[in-house]
Amino acid sequence: METYSNINDHVQLHDRLFVTLFTEEQVQERVREIGAELTGAYRDKCPLFVSILSGAFVFAADLMRAFDGDCEVGFVKLSSYSGTRSAGDVQTVMGLEKDLRGRHIIVVEDIVDTGRTLHFFLDHLRSRQPASVCTVAFLRKPDAAVFPVQVDYVGFDIEDRFVVGYGLDYDGLGRNLPGVFQLSE
Ligand code: 5GP
Ligand code: MG
């Protein structure tokens, strides 16, 4: 069975068909814009980008290269999602060993759905006494919000449909797609 094909404006992953939501060009333009805004706000602060694995690793890699100034990056592994529905409790699987006291933290998330992941992680971060914390989400589903979280920079607000690409997967596949695709109904 063919599990991967990418013809024009759609892609098949496993048993599902996805259609283009944002092209690579649209994604890259938006990342450059957010990078420029972050540069304006953090240029002399040597911020620490904290990327939530796995989904945000692609966005974080592009975003930090769109930042013009000294910066560092760290990774944290949490989990709250399997298949196409949000499920279960958020857990820290792999943490940040760095001392965060006095640091300016830029949390980088792939997508804010219910807000559970970010809400939990922000609570954790505050206990580690950073100088400041801001949040950047590549995508946000405003209709799905359950947990109150402030997202300071949003790539795109989208409808409450399952999406893949640019780091986001469907059961392991699709993270390498340079654009964003949504589940075709
Ligand atoms: P939340 O905790 O806000 O409900 O969900 C956030 C996490 O769920 C994201 O970091 C992402 O890993 C996963 N997620 C939420 N919506 C989607 C989606 O449409 N597609 C994919 N691939 N993952 C999603
Ligand atoms: Mg995630």
Side-chain angles (χ1 to χ4, degrees):
M1 188 183 77
E2 193 180 51
T3 57
Y4 181 97
S5 65
N6 185 0
I7 305 159
N8 301 321
D9 64 346
H10 68 271
V11 59
Q12 187 178 329
L13 300 171
H14 298 298
D15 56 336
R16 299 293 178 91
L17 191 67
F18 295 84
V19 296
T20 298
L21 185 59
F22 303 113
T23 64
E24 176 175 10
E25 291 68 30
Q26 289 173 311
V27 168
Q28 290 302 325
E29 187 184 343
R30 191 70 190 107
V31 171
R32 276 195 299 275
E33 287 170 0
I34 298 173
E37 285 184 58
L38 290 172
T39 300
Y42 289 91
R43 190 196 286 278
D44 300 316
K45 294 181 172 166
C46 194
L48 173 63
F49 287 87
V50 175
S51 168
I52 301 181
L53 295 171
S54 299
F57 81 103
V58 173
F59 180 42
D62 283 348
L63 192 62
M64 76 176 296
R65 286 177 295 176
F67 181 82
D68 186 11
D70 285 348
C71 63
E72 294 183 39
V73 65
F75 298 91
V76 64
K77 177 79 177 169
L78 313 167
S79 60
S80 70
Y81 217 82
S82 66
T84 58
R85 276 173 200 287
S86 215
D89 293 327
V90 177
Q91 290 174 325
T92 303
V93 177
M94 188 187 92
L96 271 173
E97 277 83 45
K98 252 178 197 310
D99 185 2
L100 304 186
R101 274 175 299 179
R103 297 300 305 265
H104 295 278
I105 311 292
I106 301 174
V107 178
V108 182
E109 178 58 312
D110 52 1
I111 181 165
V112 175
D113 184 6
T114 65
R116 182 195 285 119
T117 307
L118 207 52
H119 182 83
F120 168 86
F121 185 56
L122 290 174
D123 257 10
H124 167 84
L125 268 186
R126 284 189 197 101
S127 71
R128 296 178 60 175
Q129 300 170 269
S132 71
V133 177
C134 86
T135 54
V136 187
F138 174 58
L139 300 173
R140 179 174 62 181
K141 294 177 177 172
D143 295 344
V146 175
F147 293 80
V149 283
Q150 186 180 329
V151 185
D152 301 295
Y153 303 86
V154 178
F156 302 97
D157 277 322
I158 62 171
E159 351 169 0
D160 191 6
R161 297 266 291 274
F162 188 76
V163 295
V164 295
Y166 202 62
L168 291 155
D169 73 307
Y170 167 50
D171 283 349
L173 299 183
R175 295 193 196 276
N176 58 324
L177 296 166
V180 177
F181 295 76
Q182 77 178 10
L183 188 60
S184 162
E185 293 300 346

